[in-house]
Amino acid sequence: MLKSFRLGGVHPHDYKISKDAAIRTLEVPQTVTILLGQHIGAPATATVQKGDKVLVGDVIGTATGFVSANIHSSVSGTVTAVESVLDGANMRKPAVTIAVEGDEWNPAIDRTDTLVRECTLEPKAIIEKIAAAGIVGLGGATFPTQVKLSIPPGKKAEMLIINGVECEPYLTADYRLMMEHADEVLVGCEILMRAIGVEQCYIGIENNKPDAIRHLNDALQKGKYHTGIHVVPLKMRYPQGGEKQLIAAIAKREVPSGKLPIDVGAVVQNVGTTYAVYQAVQKNRPIVDRIVTVTGKQLATPSNLLVRIGTPISTLIEACGGLPEDTGKVINGGPMMGRAMANIDAPVTKGTSGVLMMSRKESLRKPEMPCIQCAKCVDACPMGLEPFLISKLSRLQLFDRLETERITDCIECGCCAFTCPSSLPLLDYIRIGKAETMKIIRARQTK
């Protein structure tokens, strides 16, 4: 019987229309704009100024504080500006703009395709290399990876769980990565196991990707990898890619409210992050590019593109046939957790997993109706919350009550809005309430 998590979840249609599109390397753009805040935590501090020359892989922003990440140049050329620019939501964010001149790389980076298997570094040295390379969670959360791997005193990691689920409809970047770079992913697993000192690693993949499951299992056997690495087929169920849901599915351990995966002995990493760890530790390669799924039912050529960080998202769309005439909305990410873009000239960041074009008909919201108290949102919530209640409290700005109702446990998966027969914008109000509640909590903690 296929494994899955116990509580809530929904079954949206798949629409993996780009799954057979091999990863295609996009041409280097003439200019890139690289945001200094591409991760959860404090933005990096710029280490370059206008007029500086940079190579691919050079540090252009250093981490500020423990929860932060370095930023590297994705191109070679001249820095033309260090200033605030508009991101996908039309919010001003600090960034470095570089005019491209050729494609010269930092000489410390190994650009060959030769697989490097053996890693003899001590755990501390591995984590230091990961931090230096600016690795963050590439599934969309963008949490700095070195922080996850730094086990707090009194805690102990018992297992590593690799998220190859990619349960968002439409997205196929992780799937193509597993199909085309299985060995690099498996070496990345071994490196992460060494870094946190565990003997068991579980790669969770939903059973709508049977060839990825088979391919990784074949690679495990042929490559004679660590015997503690296991590929775990999972039942299709959204949001199985959430780390707490993935732990529940694979390890049958529930992460308590307010606690972290390490509190139940687990460390979870995305499959893309695992590949990036291999690149950083074995090849001295920081995050300068990433795979992005560009897709949509009306798009001429749904694709999986390897693109330099800082490339305008409009350039990706043009490379796939251009913006369809009937586009009603462009989503950064997938349809469940992604956010509508107000500015498609915004740059690709480390967290850009997908770009989805939805038609006017698909993106049109149905009229909001009164709640019929059906409790479908409660049944669908994978965190055991009451979405209608916390959405209503958010509308009323009752933030103290929101904290009591555990709004900070919400993973913003969208299951509640997806299942609501009254078309209530539950997730929208929950996001607003969660952001305000978190501000209040942070202010209280700093007193």
Side-chain angles (χ1 to χ4, degrees):
M1 184 176 176
L2 292 168
K3 294 185 175 184
S4 188
F5 58 98
R6 178 182 60 86
L7 194 64
V10 294
H11 297 271
H13 290 296
D14 239 5
Y15 299 122
K16 302 284 189 179
I17 54 181
S18 56
K19 72 181 183 68
D20 295 325
I23 298 168
R24 174 162 57 101
T25 301
L26 195 64
E27 188 176 312
V28 180
Q30 294 182 340
T31 304
V32 296
T33 300
I34 302 174
L35 298 183
L36 291 168
Q38 299 186 41
H39 47 266
I40 288 177
T45 300
T47 57
V48 293
Q49 56 189 356
K50 185 177 179 179
D52 286 351
K53 298 284 187 180
V54 294
L55 303 177
V56 180
D58 284 354
V59 175
I60 60 172
T62 54
T64 306
F66 180 58
V67 183
S68 188
N70 288 345
I71 303 292
H72 299 77
S73 176
S74 62
V75 296
S76 62
T78 302
V79 176
T80 59
V82 181
E83 60 186 5
S84 294
V85 301
L86 294 174
D87 68 2
N90 264 345
M91 302 290 288
R92 290 213 161 266
K93 299 290 175 63
V96 175
T97 301
I98 303 168
V100 176
E101 298 161 4
D103 193 26
E104 297 181 60
W105 289 59
N106 186 305
I109 297 172
D110 178 0
R111 298 182 62 198
T112 68
D113 293 330
T114 305
L115 184 71
V116 181
R117 281 289 303 268
E118 187 178 8
C119 176
T120 58
L121 294 176
E122 293 298 315
K124 183 180 178 183
I126 292 173
I127 294 171
E128 286 173 351
K129 289 196 79 168
I130 289 169
I135 309 299
V136 300
L138 296 182
T142 67
F143 195 82
T145 302
Q146 78 274 7
V147 179
K148 269 193 176 184
L149 300 179
S150 301
I151 310 301
K155 309 288 184 184
K156 179 177 172 56
E158 298 173 24
M159 70 186 78
L160 172 68
I161 296 178
I162 303 299
N163 182 358
V165 173
E166 201 165 40
C167 57
E168 266 279 9
Y170 289 95
L171 301 190
T172 58
D174 287 348
Y175 166 76
R176 292 311 314 176
L177 179 64
M178 290 185 286
M179 292 300 295
E180 298 182 40
H181 295 282
D183 283 306
E184 291 93 332
V185 168
L186 293 172
V187 175
C189 291
E190 292 183 330
I191 293 169
L192 288 168
M193 291 169 73
R194 185 178 179 87
I196 59 175
V198 298
E199 293 297 319
Q200 298 298 318
C201 170
Y202 303 95
I203 306 172
I205 307 174
E206 284 189 327
N207 70 326
N208 63 338
K209 308 172 188 69
D211 41 359
I213 293 169
R214 185 168 55 251
H215 186 58
L216 277 176
N217 271 322
D218 289 346
L220 269 174
Q221 293 177 0
K222 291 176 183 176
K224 298 181 180 178
Y225 289 96
H226 193 294
T227 55
I229 301 176
H230 316 276
V231 177
V232 183
L234 300 169
K235 181 181 178 181
M236 276 184 63
R237 193 176 180 188
Y238 178 87
Q240 199 139 230
E243 62 179 10
K244 292 184 179 181
Q245 285 68 43
L246 193 55
I247 293 167
I250 290 177
K252 300 303 177 187
R253 299 182 184 184
E254 301 287 341
V255 180
S257 175
K259 298 294 184 180
L260 298 171
I262 192 61
D263 291 304
V264 295
V267 173
V268 182
Q269 296 290 349
N270 173 262
V271 70
T273 309
T274 306
Y275 176 72
V277 164
Y278 164 80
Q279 295 274 44
V281 176
Q282 304 296 74
K283 299 284 189 173
N284 292 315
R285 179 177 175 139
I287 295 185
V288 297
D289 52 19
R290 70 153 296 146
I291 304 165
V292 181
T293 299
V294 185
T295 186
K297 293 177 185 175
Q298 283 74 39
L299 189 66
T301 314
S303 304
N304 297 291
L305 303 178
L306 180 65
V307 301
R308 301 291 177 97
I309 301 297
T311 302
I313 284 175
S314 55
T315 302
L316 278 62
I317 297 171
E318 286 303 314
C320 297
L323 195 69
E325 285 187 13
D326 69 337
T327 300
K329 191 177 288 185
V330 178
I331 305 290
N332 185 350
M336 297 297 289
M337 294 186 73
R339 302 199 182 207
M341 298 191 68
N343 172 27
I344 63 170
D345 290 320
V348 168
T349 67
K350 296 176 184 179
T352 307
S353 56
V355 179
L356 169 64
M357 275 129 286
M358 300 181 74
S359 68
R360 292 185 181 92
K361 182 179 179 181
E362 287 176 305
S363 59
L364 188 66
R365 287 199 176 194
K366 294 178 182 178
E368 184 179 337
M369 304 292 286
C371 174
I372 61 172
Q373 299 184 13
C374 65
K376 284 187 175 181
C377 62
V378 177
D379 290 341
C381 180
M383 297 304 296
L385 305 177
E386 296 182 61
F388 173 73
L389 173 62
I390 59 179
S391 173
K392 187 172 183 179
L393 293 173
S394 178
R395 288 193 192 213
L396 298 173
Q397 299 185 6
L398 298 175
F399 301 121
D400 289 342
R401 179 82 184 276
L402 280 173
E403 187 176 351
T404 304
E405 296 295 337
R406 298 169 41 222
I407 193 172
T408 55
D409 282 349
C410 174
I411 61 172
E412 303 180 30
C413 64
C415 286
C416 53
F418 178 83
T419 197
C420 179
S422 296
S423 303
L424 296 172
L426 299 173
L427 179 58
D428 294 351
Y429 280 104
I430 290 171
R431 277 175 166 163
I432 293 168
K434 183 179 174 182
E436 290 300 318
T437 304
M438 291 300 293
K439 284 182 187 176
I440 293 169
I441 292 171
R442 284 194 294 270
R444 186 170 67 230
Q445 291 173 342
T446 56
K447 286 183 180 179

